[in-house]
Amino acid sequence: MDKPSDFFVIRALEDGVNVIGLTRGTDTKFHHSEKLDKDEVMIAQFTEHTSAVKVRGKAVIQTSHGQIDNN
Ligand code: TRP
């Protein structure tokens, strides 16, 4: 990836929120699963390995496109 991508922030509102990274390219596969407990925060970027992220559970997600409240 030439241009550094924006960071996004995920704050868990309950225990056991899953942040799942999906691979870039022709195969879309789970490559990383991170478990967050309540009030834990993850700060991450999209990278040459990660083109999509799936969030399971109640969380606040902040991106440059706005905030998503997943209640
Ligand atoms: N090794 C992964 C990567 O460089 C780490 C990562 C970056 C990640 N962003 C993520 C994992 C978002 C899960 C979700 O792509």
Side-chain angles (χ1 to χ4, degrees):
M1 224 184 222
D2 359 328
K3 200 162 66 93
S5 75
D6 285 343
F7 285 87
F8 53 90
V9 177
I10 299 155
R11 181 165 66 84
L13 299 177
E14 63 179 359
D15 287 348
V17 170
N18 265 298
V19 180
I20 300 157
L22 296 127
T23 55
R24 189 176 294 284
T26 41
D27 286 348
T28 306
K29 293 188 176 156
F30 287 15
H31 70 73
H32 186 93
S33 177
E34 193 69 33
K35 200 163 254 184
L36 304 181
D37 284 333
K38 191 175 188 309
D39 292 329
E40 280 190 315
V41 171
M42 182 170 170
I43 302 164
Q45 284 175 295
F46 291 103
T47 69
E48 59 178 308
H49 305 295
T50 306
S51 66
V53 172
K54 172 171 162 173
V55 179
R56 288 188 91 149
K58 294 180 182 172
V60 177
I61 304 154
Q62 291 178 320
T63 75
S64 56
H65 300 283
Q67 177 165 310
I68 300 112
D69 293 289
N70 206 12
N71 285 306

